[in-house]
Amino acid sequence: MFALKKTNKILLILLAFTFFNCKQSDPIKTEFTLVWEDQFSGSEIDTDKWEFQIGDGANYGLWRWGNNEEQYYRKENARVSNGKLLIKAVAEEFENYQYTSARMRTKGKADFKYGKIEAMIRMADTQGLWHAFWLLPSNPSQNWPMSGEIDIMEYVGNSPQEILNTLHFADNFNNHQYIGTPTEFMDDNQFHLYGVEWDENKIVWYLDNEETFRVIRSNPSISNTWPFDAEFHILLNTAVGGNLGGTVDALSLSAPKYMEVDYVKVYQKL
C-alpha cells in the first residue's frame, strides 16, 4: 500500500514537471503546396511563363503607366544570368525617353486566386529607381482601382530605409483608396524574401518570413468593396522617376542598375 502511494506521488510530480516545463503547441499553420515557380535556371526568360510589356504604357491606355514614369520598357532590358532574372534600368535615349527598363507579367500564363506568393529579390538603391513585385487582376469586371491591386513589395531609391506594402481599392463611390505601411529595411545589398499570404478573409505581408502588415476583410474602409476574390497575376518591374520614384540620379544611371530575382514561387492550400 505504501509502495502504491509513493508511485502515485512520483507520477504526479512527473506530470506537473511536464506541464510547466514543456513548450505549448504552436498555433496551427496553414499547409501549402507549390503550384507554380520560376527559378530562372535556363539561359533565357521562359515566355511560357512571362509576357513583356513594352513601351510607355500608351498601348495599354496608361500613358507613362499612369504614374508619370520616365522610362521606356524594352524586352532587351531583361535577361537570365547565373540562375537569376536581371531587370536593367539605365540612362539611354530611346523613343524620346531618357531611360529604359523592363516590365514582365504572368497574365494569361499563370493566374492565381488566393495563396502564398513570394520572391527572393535584390535591388539597387539608386535615386529615382522604383522596384516593384505586385499583383493585378487578370480579368477584371471593373476598371482600376475598383478591381484592386496588391503591392507585395515596392522599394524606392529615394527612401532606401523602407519597403512599402500596399493594398489599392475603391470606396463606395469608386474613389481610389489604399491601405499600406512602410517596413523598416536595411539595404545590405543582399537578397531578401518578399511575400504575401492571401485568402478570402485577409492578406498578410512578409519580409524574410516575418509578418510586416495585414489587412482583414472586415476592415470598415474596404469591407463593402473588397475586390480580392478574383484571379490575379504577378508583375515584376523597375520604373524610373514618376510619382513615387521621384527625382532621378541620371549620372548614377549612366551605368546599368538592376533588380535581381532569384526565384518566384506560388503556393496554395492543400
Side-chain angles (χ1 to χ4, degrees), residues 222-267:
I222 193 174
S223 58
N224 291 334
T225 59
W226 179 271
F228 303 106
D229 293 324
E231 288 191 336
F232 280 60
H233 60 275
I234 300 167
L235 297 98
L236 292 166
N237 70 286
T238 295
V240 181
N243 297 343
L244 188 57
T247 303
V248 181
D249 184 346
L251 182 60
S252 291
L253 277 177
S254 61
K257 300 297 185 294
Y258 293 93
M259 177 184 191
E260 302 174 65
V261 185
D262 188 18
Y263 62 79
V264 182
K265 295 183 179 182
V266 179
Y267 305 82

Side-chain angles (χ1 to χ4, degrees), residues 131-146:
H131 307 281
F133 167 42
W134 52 306
L135 309 176
L136 281 176
S138 298
N139 298 289
S141 57
Q142 295 178 291
N143 292 328
W144 189 95
M146 290 82 79

Side-chain angles (χ1 to χ4, degrees), residues 67-71 99 128-130 239-248:
N67 297 299
N68 296 311
E69 297 168 24
E70 299 181 39
Q71 80 289 329
Y99 306 99
L129 291 189
W130 172 6
V240 181
N243 297 343
L244 188 57
T247 303
V248 181

Side-chain angles (χ1 to χ4, degrees), residues 7-27:
T7 301
N8 287 343
K9 287 180 180 178
I10 293 171
L11 287 173
L12 287 171
I13 291 169
L14 289 173
L15 287 170
F17 179 85
T18 300
F19 178 81
F20 287 110
N21 289 278
C22 287
K23 292 182 179 179
Q24 298 299 307
S25 299
D26 291 332

Side-chain angles (χ1 to χ4, degrees), residues 112-124:
F112 308 99
K113 178 181 177 181
Y114 310 144
K116 178 180 178 181
I117 302 169
E118 62 183 23
M120 185 72 75
I121 303 174
R122 176 168 64 184
M123 299 162 287

